[in-house]
Amino acid sequence: MGAVGSYFSKYKRNRHSIFEGMAVTASHFVRKPYTVSIRTGCRSVQDTLPFRYRGILEVDLEICTGCLACERACPIDCIVIAVEKDPKTKSMILSQFDIDIAKCMYCGLCSEPCPTGSIHHTTEFEGADYSLESLIRRFVKEPVQAYKPKKGPETDPRVAPILNRGMRYINEFAQAGGEKPAEEEPEA
């Protein structure tokens, strides 16, 4: 009689677990779906990325000073820059600025020391390709004169977008509940 009782207890337990699973399945029939149909219009993935998302690197050669700070800061040497000094005008000439996206680990260490913010991460993230050679981004097609900043960054219109980007970072950090800078108390 023990074997028959064990059989029925297992049968009862299995039947109970089946009904529990079916109840969960049935509850999904009455819920609103989480998926969004492509045909009804959904936002692009770039629109859903956070503001500080670190995607594929981009370089703005108009404000690149050729200081090599990003190349020195890169821990895996995926940035290669060649700078020459023009003997006539005594200015810096960028002859090569390559970033190997296949090597890049998107750490952001290259964009931090850049004095003008010419190297920055974009929201682009699709880097798949058939060959590794095509993942090397070559930003200098022909030699370009490096940017020489004026004394005050506020005077140059090319640097204004970088200053605005920095202010957006500061404002976002303050809105996210991060540490706010301590205000100085007036001396009595």
Side-chain angles (χ1 to χ4, degrees), residues 36-76:
V36 177
S37 174
I38 294 173
R39 291 178 195 89
T40 60
C42 65
R43 299 184 323 191
S44 68
V45 175
Q46 274 79 13
D47 294 340
T48 61
L49 295 174
F51 179 69
R52 293 184 184 180
Y53 178 76
R54 291 188 297 218
I56 293 178
L57 287 167
E58 186 70 30
V59 177
D60 186 2
L61 287 177
E62 288 185 9
I63 57 174
C64 180
T65 60
C67 65
L68 305 176
C70 55
E71 183 180 32
R72 287 190 301 267
C74 183
I76 53 174

Side-chain angles (χ1 to χ4, degrees), residues 42-128:
C42 65
R43 299 184 323 191
S44 68
V45 175
Q46 274 79 13
D47 294 340
T48 61
L49 295 174
F51 179 69
R52 293 184 184 180
Y53 178 76
R54 291 188 297 218
I56 293 178
L57 287 167
E58 186 70 30
V59 177
D60 186 2
L61 287 177
E62 288 185 9
I63 57 174
C64 180
T65 60
C67 65
L68 305 176
C70 55
E71 183 180 32
R72 287 190 301 267
C74 183
I76 53 174
D77 300 327
C78 69
I79 300 174
V80 178
I81 304 172
V83 180
E84 298 145 6
K85 195 165 193 174
D86 188 16
K88 295 177 185 175
T89 61
K90 306 240 191 254
S91 62
M92 304 296 278
I93 304 292
L94 289 169
S95 58
Q96 179 184 11
F97 199 122
D98 298 345
I99 299 176
D100 191 351
I101 300 299
K103 285 184 186 178
C104 184
M105 61 181 183
Y106 306 101
C107 63
L109 293 175
C110 59
S111 59
E112 290 176 9
C114 184
T116 59
S118 64
I119 186 167
H120 58 275
H121 289 276
T122 62
T123 57
E124 183 183 353
F125 58 88
E126 296 174 353

